Amino acid sequence: MVRVPLTDAERARGERLGAVLREARGARSMVEVAAEAGISVETLRKIETGRIPTPAFFTVVALADAVGLPLEALRGAVPTG
């Protein structure tokens, strides 16, 4: 399967998503948040650094719940278009 390359806008959106989630995580460890969200620490690290710019919706929901960030606030912080 060949993946279509991401656009600059998609990359930027992924970096913004990662920054917002990292900020919401605050002083909590990546291990703690990843465990609460049910994902690996490496996956969380990749999302926070923008290396996974388009994580699955349910992963984003789990992370938002784990850091106490309402989806509406996340939607407002990360441009969609």
Side-chain angles (χ1 to χ4, degrees), residues 7-76:
T7 66
D8 289 341
E10 290 168 328
R11 274 192 218 79
R13 187 175 59 225
E15 290 171 2
R16 180 69 184 139
L17 172 65
V20 169
L21 290 171
R22 186 171 49 254
E23 183 179 325
R25 179 169 57 85
R28 293 176 62 195
S29 74
M30 291 182 103
V31 172
E32 179 184 349
V33 171
E36 190 172 330
I39 63 172
S40 72
V41 174
E42 185 60 22
T43 297
L44 177 56
R45 180 176 291 111
K46 287 178 180 178
I47 291 170
E48 285 191 357
T49 60
R51 289 178 42 216
I52 300 178
T54 56
F57 174 75
F58 293 105
T59 300
V60 174
V61 170
L63 283 170
D65 285 346
V67 298
L69 184 65
L71 285 179
E72 190 59 33
L74 184 60
R75 181 175 179 245

